[in-house]
Amino acid sequence: MPEISSLRHFYPEQNGFTINRKNGHEQYTFLHFATSVEIVIGDELVRARPHVCVIFQPHTPQYFHATEPLVHDWIHFFSVPDGYFESLSLQTDTLYYPKSSDFITELTREMEENFFAKSFAREEL
């Protein structure tokens, strides 16, 4: 089971906020953007619509830029078993537009609450 090292739900940033990690992050990064964002996937700069999701592999370059006030959920995690994403029919470094994404922010909120409260069974949650 993956282990979470940090996360935030519905996290706000100002217009113009940019992440430019040329060497990526040392852990996996899950991002769910509630607002549109410019994001690089592979070598392509994409203007992503609201509610896009992506899971970056460790050390994959990460670039995204907000052209409006940004709101996003993010999770850094590690200890991902071999074949984990394949078992969920997911690929890393790929943009996904879920049919409904309301559950993502709510689930991230619950995970964040348990993570920082150091509640019983937080890892399972």
Side-chain angles (χ1 to χ4, degrees), residues 97-108:
Y97 289 95
K99 289 180 184 177
S100 174
S101 64
D102 296 340
F103 75 96
I104 296 171
T105 296
E106 180 57 24
L107 182 58
T108 307

Side-chain angles (χ1 to χ4, degrees), residues 2-3 15 27 62 64 93-94 125:
E3 296 180 48
N15 183 17
Q27 298 176 355
Q62 297 178 14
F64 61 88
D93 310 321
T94 302
L125 294 169

Side-chain angles (χ1 to χ4, degrees), residues 12-113:
E13 301 287 1
Q14 295 181 349
N15 183 17
F17 176 78
T18 301
I19 289 283
N20 187 9
R21 297 180 178 130
K22 294 181 187 337
N23 297 314
H25 192 278
E26 63 188 22
Q27 298 176 355
Y28 287 89
T29 304
F30 168 80
L31 296 164
H32 165 243
F33 297 97
T35 53
S36 64
V37 65
E38 292 178 345
I39 187 168
V40 172
I41 297 296
D43 294 328
E44 184 180 355
L45 179 66
V46 176
R47 174 77 176 168
R49 299 184 316 271
H51 304 292
V52 69
C53 298
V54 64
I55 302 168
F56 285 111
Q57 290 187 63
H59 308 292
T60 296
Q62 297 178 14
Y63 174 88
F64 61 88
H65 173 76
T67 58
E68 60 187 83
L70 176 71
V71 179
H72 65 307
D73 305 309
W74 57 266
I75 304 171
H76 293 296
F77 58 101
F78 60 98
S79 296
V80 175
D82 288 340
Y84 181 75
F85 295 114
E86 293 82 3
S87 73
L88 300 171
S89 298
L90 293 173
Q91 296 179 24
T92 56
D93 310 321
T94 302
L95 296 182
Y96 287 98
Y97 289 95
K99 289 180 184 177
S100 174
S101 64
D102 296 340
F103 75 96
I104 296 171
T105 296
E106 180 57 24
L107 182 58
T108 307
R109 184 197 64 74
E110 289 179 31
M111 291 166 55
E112 179 183 346
E113 183 178 290

